[in-house]
Amino acid sequence: MLSRLLKDHQTKQQIRKDLQETKRKEAVSAASNFTHALVDHLNVRVAQAYLNQKKLDSEAKQLHVNASQFAKQTFQWLQLIENFNQSLKELGDVENWSQSIESDMRTISTSLECAYKSTDRKSVV
């Protein structure tokens, strides 16, 4: 009887140990599955963030190239406008010079006319 009770007790303990081991394995398996699912989910988000960062880097480089080209083009426009302004100033100087020559020529012409008229008067008298 005592030995039977001992065997029953040992059998029940073995059943409990087996049940506990089964539940422990299930818990480890569930935790492992959860961990894998969590890592996969995080990896997807990390991969998406990495792709977004690559796109941002690419667009930043393109923006830098475009800004550099725009700066060069703006500098060329400024040089063109400066050359145009210089040409306008030179035309203004030529116009001023031509007006000065014209004024001098009128003065000379008037002087010559006066001299001719006075010579004409002297030869008539």
Side-chain angles (χ1 to χ4, degrees), residues 49-59:
Y50 177 74
L51 290 175
N52 289 344
Q53 184 64 38
K54 279 181 63 175
K55 286 179 185 177
L56 284 174
D57 289 343
S58 173
E59 289 179 12

Side-chain angles (χ1 to χ4, degrees), residues 35-51:
T35 303
H36 286 297
L38 186 62
V39 168
D40 288 343
H41 178 70
L42 290 176
N43 282 342
V44 167
R45 298 188 94 188
V46 168
Q48 186 63 41
Y50 177 74
L51 290 175

Side-chain angles (χ1 to χ4, degrees), residues 89-107:
K89 285 179 185 177
E90 289 173 4
L91 283 176
D93 290 344
V94 168
E95 184 180 0
N96 188 26
W97 173 78
S98 68
Q99 288 173 354
S100 177
I101 294 289
E102 185 180 358
S103 174
D104 290 347
M105 294 301 280
R106 283 189 184 146
T107 304

Side-chain angles (χ1 to χ4, degrees), residues 1-15:
M1 169 149 165
L2 204 50
S3 69
R4 190 170 182 227
L5 282 174
L6 181 63
K7 273 189 173 183
D8 284 343
H9 175 68
Q10 287 176 345
T11 305
K12 287 181 183 179
Q13 271 188 333
Q14 189 61 38
I15 291 172

